Amino acid sequence: MIRSFFLSPEQQQSRNLSLAEIGRVRNSGQGLLWVVLDRPDQEELLTVLRDTFQFHPLSIEDCGNEGYQTPKVDDYGEYIFLISHALLPQNQDLADLEMRELDLYLGRNYVVSIYRSAEMPPVERVWNRLEKDDRLFKNGADFLCHALLDALVDDYMPLIDSMDDEIEWLEDKVLEKPSPETLQRILALKHATLSLRRVIGPEREVVNRLSRDEFDLIAPNHRIYFRDIYDHLVRIQDLSESVRDIVSGTLDIYLSATSNRLNEVMKALTIVSTIFLPLSFIAGVYGMNFRYFPEINWQYGYLYVWLLFAVIVIAMLLFFKKRGWF
């Protein structure tokens, strides 16, 4: 699906322009044009990016690639091509954290955004703000690009907060009663931090380049907005590193706790086995099939053996307790 928004130099707004109108606006360099390609097929992708905007084939190939691509920014002179990643709302579950790619073209008077997922909340939020916040289209294409990246990065912080809540709960569960379910959640959280780290690092470098004077398409007075996004990413990366360290520590605590529990079980079994060892020996001696036993005809022989059993058990328990083995 192709959506578009256009603000003319006369401050007149129009939506869903035809491809011919989009091409004329692009060539005129006047006004502000935003084109959204929502889950485009190959024909729509080539028609808009290759035929209408005449973007470089390498960038078009990146847009059509469905595999994971590291966030990056490429300068093609007349426009900038960016790859970024956003969180999807249904994937806030840390056990199945998933990122979705958002591709952006930034030109003098236009922004083109492409995504292939069913939802892209940052784009939808900015699109819904067009009628409420006139800064989005009155400050130029670079400010609109900033708004999209800012909305994308804003979704990271709630994820970090949920990670903090999750790790606090896991620490309590590990100390209280470690279980295989707890281990699964710890490993899921560790996987989520690694996935987030894989994206945030390159994303931070992309925004850092945009916040400097490297690209003429970004106005000097707008670079401070990109620096604000960069500061947020630095903070998010620091928090994610902290969460990752805590998760690793929690995993060590879990392994230590389960090892201690196993040691306690083995200690109890060893004590029981050790107690029954002399009892088994005595029972084995009296179970031998010899004719002459001194106690075999004794009236209290059976009681004597049970009394001997009790004395040995009590003596061994006292010995173990004195040594601090239980």
Side-chain angles (χ1 to χ4, degrees):
M1 182 175 68
I2 303 175
R3 290 180 290 168
S4 60
F5 171 87
F6 175 60
L7 178 70
S8 68
E10 295 78 21
Q11 304 300 308
Q12 294 180 351
Q13 302 179 21
S14 54
R15 295 173 183 263
N16 299 327
L17 281 68
S18 66
L19 292 178
E21 292 173 329
I22 290 175
R24 285 195 295 270
V25 171
R26 186 260 185 194
N27 294 329
S28 69
Q30 301 296 320
L32 173 62
L33 174 66
W34 181 17
V35 178
V36 178
L37 298 182
D38 182 356
R39 288 168 291 175
D41 55 30
Q42 191 66 17
E43 182 180 354
E44 289 178 332
L45 199 67
L46 293 177
T47 300
V48 175
L49 302 185
R50 184 191 62 187
D51 301 336
T52 303
F53 282 92
Q54 301 175 0
F55 290 137
H56 195 281
L58 288 178
S59 66
I60 299 175
E61 181 181 352
D62 288 336
C63 292
N65 190 348
E66 296 184 1
Y68 172 79
Q69 298 186 93
T70 302
K72 68 173 184 177
V73 54
D74 292 329
D75 187 2
Y76 289 96
E78 294 183 357
Y79 57 90
I80 299 172
F81 175 66
L82 299 97
I83 296 178
S84 56
H85 290 266
L87 289 171
L88 296 185
Q90 65 266 30
N91 290 325
Q92 292 298 326
D93 183 8
L94 299 179
D96 189 26
L97 179 65
E98 191 174 356
M99 315 290 285
R100 280 292 181 259
E101 182 178 321
L102 174 63
D103 302 323
L104 296 172
Y105 287 93
L106 170 61
R108 290 289 178 186
N109 69 319
Y110 61 85
V111 172
V112 181
S113 54
I114 308 101
Y115 59 90
R116 291 171 297 277
S117 59
E119 294 182 78
M120 185 58 66
V123 173
E124 297 304 321
R125 288 201 301 271
V126 176
W127 184 269
N128 294 332
R129 285 172 50 197
L130 286 174
E131 297 180 356
K132 304 174 184 178
D133 190 354
D134 57 0
R135 296 180 308 163
L136 294 175
F137 48 80
K138 287 187 176 179
N139 286 328
D142 54 346
F143 191 85
L144 178 59
C145 179
H146 149 265
L148 289 169
L149 293 177
D150 188 47
L152 182 146
V153 172
D154 284 344
D155 288 339
Y156 292 161
M157 189 55 69
L159 175 64
I160 297 294
D161 293 337
S162 63
M163 285 182 174
D164 284 335
D165 296 337
E166 180 81 0
I167 197 63
E168 289 179 5
W169 182 87
L170 288 174
E171 286 178 331
D172 294 338
K173 295 296 288 186
V174 165
L175 296 176
E176 177 185 346
K177 185 180 178 181
S179 63
E181 292 76 14
T182 305
L183 177 60
Q184 290 179 359
R185 297 185 69 169
I186 292 175
L187 295 178
L189 185 58
K190 186 174 184 180
H191 176 73
T193 57
L194 292 176
S195 299
L196 191 62
R197 182 187 180 191
R198 182 179 64 173
V199 170
I200 289 180
E203 195 88 48
R204 188 187 71 170
E205 294 305 315
V206 167
V207 178
N208 185 32
R209 290 182 61 187
L210 296 175
S211 65
R212 301 198 299 263
D213 57 354
E214 183 174 346
F215 304 105
D216 296 333
L217 291 173
I218 299 177
N221 59 321
H222 289 164
R223 289 171 189 155
I224 189 172
Y225 295 103
F226 289 94
R227 282 196 291 270
D228 181 67
I229 300 176
Y230 174 76
D231 292 340
H232 290 172
L233 285 172
V234 169
R235 181 167 176 264
I236 291 170
Q237 187 174 33
D238 291 341
L239 291 174
S240 65
E241 292 290 337
S242 176
V243 170
R244 185 175 65 90
D245 293 339
I246 296 174
V247 169
S248 298
T250 304
L251 181 59
D252 293 338
I253 294 174
Y254 174 87
L255 297 176
S256 299
T258 52
S259 178
N260 290 337
R261 289 185 63 193
L262 180 61
N263 290 339
E264 292 295 328
V265 173
M266 293 302 297
K267 184 190 295 184
L269 294 176
T270 302
I271 290 175
V272 172
S273 301
T274 305
I275 290 175
F276 274 90
L277 184 64
L279 307 185
S280 300
F281 172 76
I282 295 174
V285 168
Y286 282 94
M288 293 187 295
N289 296 320
F290 289 103
R291 176 175 297 182
Y292 299 104
F293 265 107
E295 300 88 356
I296 198 167
N297 295 318
W298 185 28
Q299 180 181 359
Y300 302 103
Y302 181 72
L303 181 62
Y304 161 75
V305 171
W306 275 105
L307 181 62
L308 183 60
F309 284 168
V311 170
I312 291 176
V313 169
I314 294 174
M316 294 184 73
L317 288 175
L318 291 175
F319 175 75
F320 293 154
K321 188 171 184 62
K322 183 178 179 180
R323 294 297 298 269
W325 291 356
F326 71 90

mmCIF file of all heavy atoms in Angstrom, residues 267-295:
data_model
loop_
_atom_site.group_PDB
_atom_site.id
_atom_site.type_symbol
_atom_site.label_atom_id
_atom_site.label_comp_id
_atom_site.label_asym_id
_atom_site.label_seq_id
_atom_site.Cartn_x
_atom_site.Cartn_y
_atom_site.Cartn_z
ATOM 1 N N LYS A 267 23.885 -34.769 50.190
ATOM 2 C CA LYS A 267 24.314 -34.925 51.578
ATOM 3 C C LYS A 267 23.337 -35.794 52.357
ATOM 4 O O LYS A 267 23.743 -36.704 53.110
ATOM 5 C CB LYS A 267 24.432 -33.554 52.242
ATOM 6 C CG LYS A 267 24.973 -33.597 53.664
ATOM 7 C CD LYS A 267 24.836 -32.255 54.338
ATOM 8 C CE LYS A 267 25.693 -31.211 53.662
ATOM 9 N NZ LYS A 267 25.626 -29.909 54.378
ATOM 10 N N ALA A 268 22.035 -35.532 52.165
ATOM 11 C CA ALA A 268 21.023 -36.331 52.874
ATOM 12 C C ALA A 268 21.092 -37.796 52.443
ATOM 13 O O ALA A 268 21.025 -38.712 53.278
ATOM 14 C CB ALA A 268 19.636 -35.757 52.613
ATOM 15 N N LEU A 269 21.225 -38.025 51.124
ATOM 16 C CA LEU A 269 21.305 -39.406 50.653
ATOM 17 C C LEU A 269 22.564 -40.099 51.144
ATOM 18 O O LEU A 269 22.552 -41.303 51.463
ATOM 19 C CB LEU A 269 21.258 -39.426 49.121
ATOM 20 C CG LEU A 269 19.949 -38.956 48.480
ATOM 21 C CD1 LEU A 269 20.079 -38.939 46.959
ATOM 22 C CD2 LEU A 269 18.785 -39.835 48.895
ATOM 23 N N THR A 270 23.663 -39.353 51.204
ATOM 24 C CA THR A 270 24.916 -39.935 51.694
ATOM 25 C C THR A 270 24.799 -40.309 53.159
ATOM 26 O O THR A 270 25.281 -41.379 53.582
ATOM 27 C CB THR A 270 26.061 -38.937 51.489
ATOM 28 O OG1 THR A 270 26.153 -38.599 50.111
ATOM 29 C CG2 THR A 270 27.379 -39.534 51.949
ATOM 30 N N ILE A 271 24.160 -39.449 53.955
ATOM 31 C CA ILE A 271 23.983 -39.751 55.377
ATOM 32 C C ILE A 271 23.130 -41.006 55.559
ATOM 33 O O ILE A 271 23.460 -41.898 56.357
ATOM 34 C CB ILE A 271 23.353 -38.544 56.100
ATOM 35 C CG1 ILE A 271 24.365 -37.391 56.174
ATOM 36 C CG2 ILE A 271 22.870 -38.924 57.490
ATOM 37 C CD1 ILE A 271 23.794 -36.113 56.752
ATOM 38 N N VAL A 272 22.035 -41.083 54.809
ATOM 39 C CA VAL A 272 21.171 -42.271 54.908
ATOM 40 C C VAL A 272 21.931 -43.521 54.490
ATOM 41 O O VAL A 272 21.856 -44.569 55.157
ATOM 42 C CB VAL A 272 19.914 -42.071 54.038
ATOM 43 C CG1 VAL A 272 19.106 -43.363 53.959
ATOM 44 C CG2 VAL A 272 19.052 -40.949 54.594
ATOM 45 N N SER A 273 22.680 -43.423 53.396
ATOM 46 C CA SER A 273 23.443 -44.575 52.923
ATOM 47 C C SER A 273 24.501 -44.983 53.936
ATOM 48 O O SER A 273 24.722 -46.189 54.177
ATOM 49 C CB SER A 273 24.101 -44.252 51.577
ATOM 50 O OG SER A 273 23.131 -43.906 50.610
ATOM 51 N N THR A 274 25.156 -43.996 54.530
ATOM 52 C CA THR A 274 26.195 -44.296 55.515
ATOM 53 C C THR A 274 25.611 -44.952 56.759
ATOM 54 O O THR A 274 26.213 -45.869 57.338
ATOM 55 C CB THR A 274 26.931 -42.999 55.900
ATOM 56 O OG1 THR A 274 27.422 -42.363 54.726
ATOM 57 C CG2 THR A 274 28.090 -43.287 56.830
ATOM 58 N N ILE A 275 24.432 -44.499 57.175
ATOM 59 C CA ILE A 275 23.788 -45.101 58.356
ATOM 60 C C ILE A 275 23.406 -46.546 58.089
ATOM 61 O O ILE A 275 23.588 -47.434 58.935
ATOM 62 C CB ILE A 275 22.569 -44.262 58.771
ATOM 63 C CG1 ILE A 275 23.023 -42.918 59.351
ATOM 64 C CG2 ILE A 275 21.701 -45.005 59.775
ATOM 65 C CD1 ILE A 275 21.889 -41.978 59.671
ATOM 66 N N PHE A 276 22.877 -46.824 56.899
ATOM 67 C CA PHE A 276 22.420 -48.173 56.604
ATOM 68 C C PHE A 276 23.561 -49.128 56.271
ATOM 69 O O PHE A 276 23.345 -50.349 56.234
ATOM 70 C CB PHE A 276 21.428 -48.143 55.436
ATOM 71 C CG PHE A 276 20.016 -47.880 55.861
ATOM 72 C CD1 PHE A 276 19.529 -46.589 55.939
ATOM 73 C CD2 PHE A 276 19.193 -48.931 56.228
ATOM 74 C CE1 PHE A 276 18.228 -46.352 56.343
ATOM 75 C CE2 PHE A 276 17.896 -48.699 56.630
ATOM 76 C CZ PHE A 276 17.404 -47.399 56.694
ATOM 77 N N LEU A 277 24.759 -48.594 56.058
ATOM 78 C CA LEU A 277 25.883 -49.467 55.721
ATOM 79 C C LEU A 277 26.211 -50.442 56.851
ATOM 80 O O LEU A 277 26.272 -51.666 56.622
ATOM 81 C CB LEU A 277 27.083 -48.610 55.328
ATOM 82 C CG LEU A 277 28.315 -49.368 54.865
ATOM 83 C CD1 LEU A 277 27.991 -50.126 53.574
ATOM 84 C CD2 LEU A 277 29.476 -48.402 54.622
ATOM 85 N N PRO A 278 26.449 -49.980 58.111
ATOM 86 C CA PRO A 278 26.708 -50.967 59.194
ATOM 87 C C PRO A 278 25.498 -51.826 59.511
ATOM 88 O O PRO A 278 25.641 -52.987 59.892
ATOM 89 C CB PRO A 278 27.096 -50.079 60.379
ATOM 90 C CG PRO A 278 26.512 -48.755 60.090
ATOM 91 C CD PRO A 278 26.546 -48.619 58.602
ATOM 92 N N LEU A 279 24.275 -51.245 59.336
ATOM 93 C CA LEU A 279 23.089 -52.046 59.587
ATOM 94 C C LEU A 279 22.992 -53.193 58.583
ATOM 95 O O LEU A 279 22.623 -54.316 58.930
ATOM 96 C CB LEU A 279 21.831 -51.186 59.522
ATOM 97 C CG LEU A 279 21.797 -49.923 60.410
ATOM 98 C CD1 LEU A 279 20.433 -49.260 60.316
ATOM 99 C CD2 LEU A 279 22.121 -50.266 61.851
ATOM 100 N N SER A 280 23.303 -52.899 57.346
ATOM 101 C CA SER A 280 23.291 -53.940 56.319
ATOM 102 C C SER A 280 24.353 -54.993 56.619
ATOM 103 O O SER A 280 24.148 -56.195 56.381
ATOM 104 C CB SER A 280 23.539 -53.329 54.937
ATOM 105 O OG SER A 280 22.532 -52.382 54.626
ATOM 106 N N PHE A 281 25.494 -54.543 57.139
ATOM 107 C CA PHE A 281 26.551 -55.484 57.495
ATOM 108 C C PHE A 281 26.103 -56.444 58.592
ATOM 109 O O PHE A 281 26.285 -57.661 58.489
ATOM 110 C CB PHE A 281 27.792 -54.712 57.941
ATOM 111 C CG PHE A 281 28.874 -55.582 58.512
ATOM 112 C CD1 PHE A 281 29.674 -56.359 57.678
ATOM 113 C CD2 PHE A 281 29.086 -55.651 59.884
ATOM 114 C CE1 PHE A 281 30.663 -57.160 58.202
ATOM 115 C CE2 PHE A 281 30.079 -56.456 60.410
ATOM 116 C CZ PHE A 281 30.867 -57.213 59.558
ATOM 117 N N ILE A 282 25.481 -55.887 59.637
ATOM 118 C CA ILE A 282 25.017 -56.735 60.748
ATOM 119 C C ILE A 282 23.934 -57.690 60.268
ATOM 120 O O ILE A 282 23.934 -58.892 60.587
ATOM 121 C CB ILE A 282 24.507 -55.861 61.905
ATOM 122 C CG1 ILE A 282 25.675 -55.051 62.493
ATOM 123 C CG2 ILE A 282 23.856 -56.706 62.996
ATOM 124 C CD1 ILE A 282 25.253 -54.054 63.545
ATOM 125 N N ALA A 283 22.959 -57.133 59.495
ATOM 126 C CA ALA A 283 21.904 -57.994 58.981
ATOM 127 C C ALA A 283 22.471 -59.075 58.076
ATOM 128 O O ALA A 283 21.988 -60.215 58.067
ATOM 129 C CB ALA A 283 20.875 -57.164 58.229
ATOM 130 N N GLY A 284 23.507 -58.768 57.319
ATOM 131 C CA GLY A 284 24.136 -59.763 56.460
ATOM 132 C C GLY A 284 24.834 -60.845 57.258
ATOM 133 O O GLY A 284 24.809 -62.016 56.882
ATOM 134 N N VAL A 285 25.483 -60.443 58.342
ATOM 135 C CA VAL A 285 26.166 -61.436 59.187
ATOM 136 C C VAL A 285 25.159 -62.434 59.758
ATOM 137 O O VAL A 285 25.342 -63.652 59.695
ATOM 138 C CB VAL A 285 26.947 -60.724 60.308
ATOM 139 C CG1 VAL A 285 27.416 -61.734 61.355
ATOM 140 C CG2 VAL A 285 28.132 -59.972 59.724
ATOM 141 N N TYR A 286 24.046 -61.900 60.302
ATOM 142 C CA TYR A 286 23.062 -62.791 60.899
ATOM 143 C C TYR A 286 22.208 -63.514 59.853
ATOM 144 O O TYR A 286 21.428 -64.408 60.200
ATOM 145 C CB TYR A 286 22.155 -62.031 61.865
ATOM 146 C CG TYR A 286 22.830 -61.770 63.199
ATOM 147 C CD1 TYR A 286 23.488 -60.579 63.434
ATOM 148 C CD2 TYR A 286 22.843 -62.758 64.192
ATOM 149 C CE1 TYR A 286 24.135 -60.355 64.637
ATOM 150 C CE2 TYR A 286 23.474 -62.538 65.408
ATOM 151 C CZ TYR A 286 24.127 -61.334 65.618
ATOM 152 O OH TYR A 286 24.768 -61.108 66.807
ATOM 153 N N GLY A 287 22.349 -63.142 58.641
ATOM 154 C CA GLY A 287 21.623 -63.852 57.594
ATOM 155 C C GLY A 287 22.417 -64.993 56.984
ATOM 156 O O GLY A 287 21.920 -65.667 56.080
ATOM 157 N N MET A 288 23.688 -65.198 57.437
ATOM 158 C CA MET A 288 24.493 -66.294 56.914
ATOM 159 C C MET A 288 23.967 -67.636 57.430
ATOM 160 O O MET A 288 23.525 -67.747 58.583
ATOM 161 C CB MET A 288 25.955 -66.103 57.317
ATOM 162 C CG MET A 288 26.614 -64.896 56.642
ATOM 163 S SD MET A 288 28.376 -64.779 56.936
ATOM 164 C CE MET A 288 28.415 -64.511 58.696
ATOM 165 N N ASN A 289 24.038 -68.661 56.591
ATOM 166 C CA ASN A 289 23.442 -69.960 56.911
ATOM 167 C C ASN A 289 24.462 -70.900 57.578
ATOM 168 O O ASN A 289 24.878 -71.923 57.041
ATOM 169 C CB ASN A 289 22.883 -70.617 55.644
ATOM 170 C CG ASN A 289 21.746 -69.806 55.059
ATOM 171 O OD1 ASN A 289 20.923 -69.284 55.814
ATOM 172 N ND2 ASN A 289 21.698 -69.711 53.729
ATOM 173 N N PHE A 290 24.908 -70.507 58.765
ATOM 174 C CA PHE A 290 25.763 -71.385 59.564
ATOM 175 C C PHE A 290 24.946 -71.964 60.722
ATOM 176 O O PHE A 290 24.012 -71.316 61.220
ATOM 177 C CB PHE A 290 26.981 -70.615 60.113
ATOM 178 C CG PHE A 290 27.983 -70.259 59.034
ATOM 179 C CD1 PHE A 290 28.060 -68.971 58.541
ATOM 180 C CD2 PHE A 290 28.842 -71.242 58.524
ATOM 181 C CE1 PHE A 290 28.972 -68.652 57.550
ATOM 182 C CE2 PHE A 290 29.752 -70.900 57.537
ATOM 183 C CZ PHE A 290 29.814 -69.621 57.044
ATOM 184 N N ARG A 291 25.351 -73.202 61.156
ATOM 185 C CA ARG A 291 24.556 -73.872 62.183
ATOM 186 C C ARG A 291 24.782 -73.277 63.564
ATOM 187 O O ARG A 291 23.838 -73.110 64.333
ATOM 188 C CB ARG A 291 24.907 -75.365 62.222
ATOM 189 C CG ARG A 291 24.188 -76.148 63.333
ATOM 190 C CD ARG A 291 24.471 -77.607 63.245
ATOM 191 N NE ARG A 291 23.951 -78.164 61.983
ATOM 192 C CZ ARG A 291 24.022 -79.451 61.642
ATOM 193 N NH1 ARG A 291 24.600 -80.317 62.451
ATOM 194 N NH2 ARG A 291 23.524 -79.868 60.478
ATOM 195 N N TYR A 292 26.011 -72.890 63.881
ATOM 196 C CA TYR A 292 26.322 -72.463 65.251
ATOM 197 C C TYR A 292 26.511 -70.953 65.292
ATOM 198 O O TYR A 292 27.483 -70.420 64.759
ATOM 199 C CB TYR A 292 27.579 -73.161 65.766
ATOM 200 C CG TYR A 292 27.417 -74.664 65.813
ATOM 201 C CD1 TYR A 292 28.026 -75.452 64.829
ATOM 202 C CD2 TYR A 292 26.648 -75.258 66.793
ATOM 203 C CE1 TYR A 292 27.872 -76.823 64.850
ATOM 204 C CE2 TYR A 292 26.487 -76.649 66.819
ATOM 205 C CZ TYR A 292 27.096 -77.418 65.857
ATOM 206 O OH TYR A 292 26.938 -78.776 65.867
ATOM 207 N N PHE A 293 25.549 -70.257 65.882
ATOM 208 C CA PHE A 293 25.637 -68.818 66.187
ATOM 209 C C PHE A 293 25.474 -68.677 67.692
ATOM 210 O O PHE A 293 24.547 -69.281 68.264
ATOM 211 C CB PHE A 293 24.529 -68.031 65.482
ATOM 212 C CG PHE A 293 24.977 -67.443 64.170
ATOM 213 C CD1 PHE A 293 24.545 -67.982 62.966
ATOM 214 C CD2 PHE A 293 25.834 -66.359 64.146
ATOM 215 C CE1 PHE A 293 24.950 -67.455 61.769
ATOM 216 C CE2 PHE A 293 26.231 -65.832 62.940
ATOM 217 C CZ PHE A 293 25.803 -66.379 61.746
ATOM 218 N N PRO A 294 26.342 -67.879 68.370
ATOM 219 C CA PRO A 294 26.206 -67.754 69.832
ATOM 220 C C PRO A 294 24.829 -67.236 70.247
ATOM 221 O O PRO A 294 24.297 -67.655 71.264
ATOM 222 C CB PRO A 294 27.303 -66.755 70.196
ATOM 223 C CG PRO A 294 28.313 -66.876 69.092
ATOM 224 C CD PRO A 294 27.523 -67.198 67.855
ATOM 225 N N GLU A 295 24.242 -66.302 69.443
ATOM 226 C CA GLU A 295 22.977 -65.699 69.848
ATOM 227 C C GLU A 295 21.758 -66.359 69.224
ATOM 228 O O GLU A 295 20.635 -65.915 69.435
ATOM 229 C CB GLU A 295 22.952 -64.199 69.455
ATOM 230 C CG GLU A 295 24.051 -63.357 70.079
ATOM 231 C CD GLU A 295 25.319 -63.361 69.221
ATOM 232 O OE1 GLU A 295 25.351 -64.077 68.199
ATOM 233 O OE2 GLU A 295 26.281 -62.653 69.576
#
